[in-house]
Amino acid sequence: HDFGFRGVSSVESAALGGAAHLVNFLGSDTMAGLIMAKEYYGMSCAGYSIPASEHSTMTSWGREQELDAMRNMLRQYPTGLVACVSDSYDI
């Protein structure tokens, strides 16, 4: 799954990297890549998102409850793919 928009220097580089990712994979949260695939390649739906946590939603449970936060994600989304942040603390 592509969450690459966060770590690039521009919208253009997010679009290029995101569209390149979509050549081989369907999962993406990089809207710029999805838009580029639609505009330049005529894709009506080049990819899709998945349920995903992020650092603040995991750390809001507290350090000792990080496992509970992950269990909660899996209870909320028992089937299919999910992305669960697991590097909020020094593990």
Side-chain angles (χ1 to χ4, degrees), residues 8-78:
V8 296
S9 59
S10 67
V11 175
E12 182 181 30
S13 56
L16 291 169
H21 175 85
L22 291 167
V23 168
N24 293 302
F25 306 101
L26 293 176
S28 180
D29 275 30
T30 303
M31 290 302 298
L34 294 165
I35 291 167
M36 178 179 251
K38 182 176 183 175
E39 288 180 3
Y40 290 94
Y41 299 101
M43 303 294 299
S44 61
C45 181
Y48 58 89
S49 186
I50 61 172
S53 67
E54 63 99 35
H55 287 91
S56 69
T57 62
M58 298 304 283
T59 59
S60 69
W61 286 72
R63 185 181 195 108
E64 299 304 316
Q65 286 75 38
E66 186 176 30
L67 182 58
D68 293 331
M70 290 187 186
R71 286 184 178 132
N72 181 62
M73 279 286 292
L74 295 174
R75 270 194 302 275
Q76 298 298 316
Y77 306 100

